Amino acid sequence: MVGAAAAIGLAKLGLSVAVVDAFKPQQYDPAQPIDIRVSAISVASESLLEQLGAMPYLAQMRKAPYRGLETWELDGCITQFHADQVSSTHLGHIVENRLIQLALWRCFEHDLDITLCCPAKVSQIEYSQDGVELTLDDNRQIAAKLLVGADGANSQVRQWANIGLTGWDYGQSAMLINIDTEIDQQDVTWQQFTPTGPRSLLPLPGKHASLVWYDDAARISQLASMSNLQLAEQIKQHFPARLDRQFTVANKASFKLTRRHAQRYYADNLVLIGDAAHTINPLAGQGVNLGFKDVAALINVIEQAQDSGEPWWQTATLQQYQRGRYYDNQLMMSTMDLFYASFSNDFTPLKLLRNGALKLANIDGPVKRQVLKYAMGLQ
């Protein structure tokens, strides 16, 4: 998603872009089951997708708007955010990752200088006199002034550039569970903290929802081995009462929680964006939104360099990109870690303190509206 967005944005600046991808996303059919991998796309990310031309294509597929966001631990101590508080129609959309990628790939067909190399993998990267040269597994070669690493958490580009990582494993895993419900499409995403990890719901299109169950790795492994019927019974026992009990489990998957942050986002003729630069605790669903912010920042600094007649591929420009993104990403990652650490502790005084803070945070006012705008990517 993030790499495709960067390709379109840079091509719109008049640059010649090659996209290397190992797999083509499966084409959309409305009869298909909803994918397990979804993202909460913020209003700011929607704005970027609109600028790139992808939103009209996404509108032809499926997505679920959410207007409310609620977080609590103890009953009566809840923080509720709503789109009405910032005079907005919605806070964002829950969209399948594949559909976002498909909508962006449709933009490749526009009058842009984009060459799609797919299916293909990079077998070798070397510096050349004019920049970087890639050799693909089908022996094609690509010469570029700038290599954009948007190749995920295990980035081959980052490793080749010898850019180190800081971070840790959280010792927990998360299970994604798609359910079919009896009730109509919901418009509130919610999350309850428990001593073993949060329990969350994301609305999906139609009578569907995505549940996220955080717990220690052994417990998630145990849940993953259950049948859908057995898992449904566990959900009914351990999710909050507000979850309608008339549902069936349609699909499930799990992953480990890790934090990774590249020590820098650039090298000579090379820049990192998205998960190649940072992976965040998915607590608030901000991962892809941070990636789209990276894209917007990279497009902006390259456009400024072009306007000034400066070499847009050189270190000075890439340093500006890092200055614009590194500390903002660090702030969001640290904030999520603070929430994670605070709510993972069952120490009674701390428990009372954090629930009091949630109750206080629910008071409508300028601070609450600023927090909401930040969550929407508008600050």
Side-chain angles (χ1 to χ4, degrees):
M1 296 180 286
V2 173
I8 298 162
L10 296 176
K12 281 178 172 286
L13 298 181
L15 302 180
S16 177
V17 180
V19 176
V20 181
D21 208 316
F23 305 102
K24 289 186 177 180
Q26 182 186 5
Q27 289 301 311
Y28 173 68
D29 183 330
Q32 293 166 339
I34 296 175
D35 292 350
I36 197 72
R37 295 182 64 198
V38 300
S39 292
I41 301 299
S42 70
V43 169
S45 293
E46 290 177 9
S47 178
L48 175 67
L49 293 173
E50 184 70 47
Q51 293 169 29
L52 297 177
M55 285 304 286
Y57 298 122
L58 204 52
Q60 297 170 11
M61 294 183 274
R62 59 192 175 201
K63 57 188 188 300
Y66 61 96
R67 306 187 70 238
L69 190 159
E70 301 180 3
T71 299
W72 78 98
E73 181 179 21
L74 300 178
D75 291 339
C77 299
I78 188 169
T79 297
Q80 298 169 303
F81 296 100
H82 199 275
D84 291 344
Q85 295 166 341
V86 286
S87 303
S88 179
T89 57
H90 61 286
L91 301 179
H93 281 85
I94 309 298
V95 193
E96 293 155 76
N97 292 1
R98 175 176 59 95
L99 302 190
I100 299 170
Q101 187 182 4
L102 277 171
L104 288 163
W105 277 39
R106 288 287 302 275
C107 297
F108 291 173
E109 302 166 9
H110 294 181
D111 188 19
L112 298 170
D113 190 357
I114 297 178
T115 300
L116 178 60
C117 305
C118 181
K121 295 182 180 180
V122 176
S123 59
Q124 186 173 328
I125 308 172
E126 294 180 301
Y127 276 118
S128 64
Q129 186 174 352
D130 296 323
V132 181
E133 189 170 279
L134 277 66
T135 302
L136 306 186
D137 56 0
D138 58 7
N139 293 320
R140 278 182 290 179
Q141 292 188 320
I142 301 172
K145 292 187 182 298
L146 181 66
L147 174 59
V148 180
D151 51 341
N154 298 315
S155 170
Q156 176 187 3
V157 174
R158 186 189 64 234
Q159 293 173 34
W160 175 78
N162 290 317
I163 296 176
L165 288 171
T166 58
W168 53 82
D169 295 331
Y170 289 100
Q172 278 203 321
S173 294
M175 172 168 273
L176 307 176
I177 310 161
N178 282 4
I179 61 171
D180 301 330
T181 67
E182 294 291 326
I183 60 176
D184 291 329
Q185 182 173 317
Q186 302 171 64
D187 67 355
V188 173
T189 178
W190 51 254
Q191 182 166 251
Q192 181 184 30
F193 289 96
T194 78
T196 58
R199 311 282 186 265
S200 307
L201 178 140
L202 308 175
L204 295 178
K207 294 184 176 182
H208 308 283
S210 171
L211 305 180
V212 189
W213 187 330
Y214 299 81
D215 217 309
D216 67 71
R219 174 61 166 149
I220 294 299
S221 178
Q222 179 191 42
L223 294 170
S225 68
M226 295 181 178
S227 68
N228 287 353
L229 283 174
Q230 291 172 324
L231 180 58
E233 288 304 312
Q234 289 295 308
I235 292 168
K236 291 171 185 178
Q237 291 179 36
H238 296 282
F239 267 67
R242 68 181 292 175
L243 175 65
D244 183 74
R245 265 36 191 175
Q246 301 301 312
F247 69 86
T248 56
V249 172
N251 198 3
K252 61 182 183 287
S254 60
F255 60 93
K256 292 182 179 180
L257 301 184
T258 61
R259 168 183 167 144
R260 299 288 185 269
H261 202 185
Q263 293 175 349
R264 51 194 170 92
Y265 290 176
Y266 68 92
D268 293 340
N269 302 93
L270 178 149
V271 68
L272 303 176
I273 60 175
D275 284 356
H278 45 76
T279 59
I280 184 174
N281 191 310
L283 204 59
Q286 288 299 311
V288 73
N289 294 313
L290 293 182
F292 283 140
K293 279 188 169 185
D294 293 347
V295 171
L298 182 62
I299 293 168
N300 184 55
V301 298
I302 288 181
E303 184 176 26
Q304 288 179 358
Q306 286 180 318
D307 292 343
S308 302
E310 299 172 358
W312 51 265
W313 60 90
Q314 292 192 356
T315 301
T317 301
L318 306 181
Q319 285 176 330
Q320 288 183 47
Y321 159 71
Q322 171 161 301
R323 281 196 294 270
R325 293 301 306 137
Y326 197 92
Y327 294 107
D328 182 60
N329 288 333
Q330 184 75 35
L331 175 62
M332 179 61 79
M333 295 168 79
S334 298
T335 300
M336 291 305 99
D337 287 343
L338 179 62
F339 269 97
Y340 177 83
S342 297
F343 283 92
S344 298
N345 192 314
D346 209 27
F347 182 52
T348 300
L350 181 58
K351 191 171 185 177
L352 294 173
L353 181 63
R354 67 192 180 220
N355 279 275
L358 285 174
K359 194 169 184 177
L360 185 64
N362 200 41
I363 299 173
D364 196 16
V367 173
K368 184 177 183 179
R369 287 191 287 274
Q370 285 298 111
V371 170
L372 185 52
K373 286 181 178 180
Y374 186 69
M376 296 167 70
L378 301 179
Q379 294 288 337

